[in-house]
Amino acid sequence: MLAKAYPGPTAMLFVLDRISSTAIPSDEEGMLFLFLPTLLTWVLILASAAVIVLLVGRICGTSLTGRVRRGDAQHLEPAVYDPVTGLPGRRLFLAIVGQALARATRMGQTVAVFIVELDHFKVVTETRGRMNANAVIRVQAARLKGALRARDMLARLTPDQFAAVLENVGSAVEVLTIAQKMHETVGLPLMLEGDELFLSCRIGCALYPQDAEDGPRLIEQAARALAIAKAGGQPIHPATLSVESHRSPEPPLWPVAHSR
């Protein structure tokens, strides 16, 4: 189509040859015709150059657009995965919780959501620097993941908050045992620049379907339980009394978790 719309070099030479072979009048007005071949040559050259510029611009524009779109995707990537730990971020965690609840609804199962907040982690960042703080976060992320079951999912919501979703939990004892294990593993000492560092955490727990029937609400309930734990000086606080409260007329109470 381009060959038809815009004359190529062969077509240009053919036109020029026809023009130059045309008889030139001898009168004064005919003298102007002497300049026509040169004028037409420049017109054809400029037209060809314009076509080339247009095509190159379109090709480069498409390539640049592709790079910009890929750049946008790379820019949004940290919002999906935490750049420090590689764990899912808040947005992806919300999607994971939604999928877990959909499966639990079909199977008639219970899902637990934990929110874990490191105590005074901001002090570590301010006194030890961001690089050391990131190293501490990686260690604590690995510890928390090790305290969970293989099928559970851990995420990082904020600089000092992690979250976990546990599918198919069977009892209050199981949920609390995992939460206590997470609390204890965070409290283990770690070495930082030759110094022994101790951290602690608070954990809020919420259950589906007892506390909420959708993902955002369930996470909100876990965050509310975390706030109660912080206000009351408790290491762990559940938003519900028992995983089996909707099945048993006299549900067992959650065991009481005490700070050490």
Side-chain angles (χ1 to χ4, degrees):
M1 294 180 66
L2 289 175
K4 296 180 179 180
Y6 305 102
T10 303
M12 295 178 189
L13 292 175
F14 175 77
V15 172
L16 292 176
D17 180 69
R18 293 296 300 272
I19 294 175
S20 61
S21 62
T22 305
I24 302 175
S26 58
D27 55 4
E28 295 180 357
E29 293 181 358
M31 294 296 295
L32 296 177
F33 192 73
L34 293 174
F35 297 99
L36 288 180
T38 302
L39 179 62
L40 290 175
T41 300
W42 280 106
V43 169
L44 292 175
I45 291 174
L46 292 175
S48 299
V51 172
I52 293 173
V53 171
L54 178 63
L55 293 176
V56 172
R58 288 181 178 179
I59 295 173
C60 293
T62 302
S63 177
L64 179 60
T65 301
R67 287 197 297 270
V68 169
R69 289 175 179 173
R70 289 193 296 271
D72 290 342
Q74 294 174 357
H75 177 70
L76 293 176
E77 191 69 13
V80 180
Y81 291 96
D82 174 53
V84 177
T85 63
L87 295 173
R90 177 181 293 274
R91 184 173 62 181
L92 181 55
F93 180 70
L94 180 59
I96 292 172
V97 171
Q99 294 171 359
L101 297 191
R103 287 189 291 268
T105 300
R106 293 194 302 267
M107 303 297 293
Q109 298 172 346
T110 300
V111 175
V113 167
F114 294 165
I115 295 185
V116 183
E117 182 173 306
L118 302 179
D119 293 331
H120 312 298
F121 181 72
K122 185 177 180 181
V123 176
V124 178
T125 305
E126 293 175 347
T127 59
R128 299 287 185 162
R130 184 169 298 278
M131 291 186 62
N132 284 328
N134 287 343
V136 171
I137 281 293
R138 293 188 188 100
V139 171
Q140 296 295 10
R143 289 177 172 180
L144 290 171
K145 195 169 182 64
L148 295 169
R149 303 169 304 177
R151 62 179 180 270
D152 300 331
M153 178 64 67
L154 183 70
R156 190 184 183 198
L157 303 185
T158 68
D160 61 352
Q161 278 190 0
F162 294 91
V165 56
L166 291 69
E167 296 188 54
N168 192 22
V169 293
S171 66
V173 174
E174 180 184 11
V175 174
L176 186 58
T177 298
I178 295 174
Q180 287 177 329
K181 187 177 180 181
M182 296 174 74
H183 181 266
E184 291 172 0
T185 192
V186 168
L188 294 175
L190 57 87
M191 298 300 297
L192 186 63
E193 294 184 329
D195 297 330
E196 199 172 40
L197 183 66
F198 292 89
L199 292 178
S200 60
C201 68
R202 312 287 173 178
I203 303 177
C205 311
L207 300 174
Y208 167 88
Q210 293 89 329
D211 298 319
E213 296 185 354
D214 62 79
R217 180 65 176 168
L218 189 63
I219 296 173
E220 180 183 341
Q221 288 292 84
R224 183 173 300 176
L226 172 64
I228 295 174
K230 293 168 60 177
Q234 303 170 355
I236 304 167
H237 185 83
T240 188
L241 292 177
S242 172
V243 174
E244 300 176 349
S245 61
H246 66 298
R247 301 172 186 168
S248 175
E250 296 181 359
L253 296 179
W254 280 83
V256 178
H258 299 283
S259 300
R260 295 186 175 184

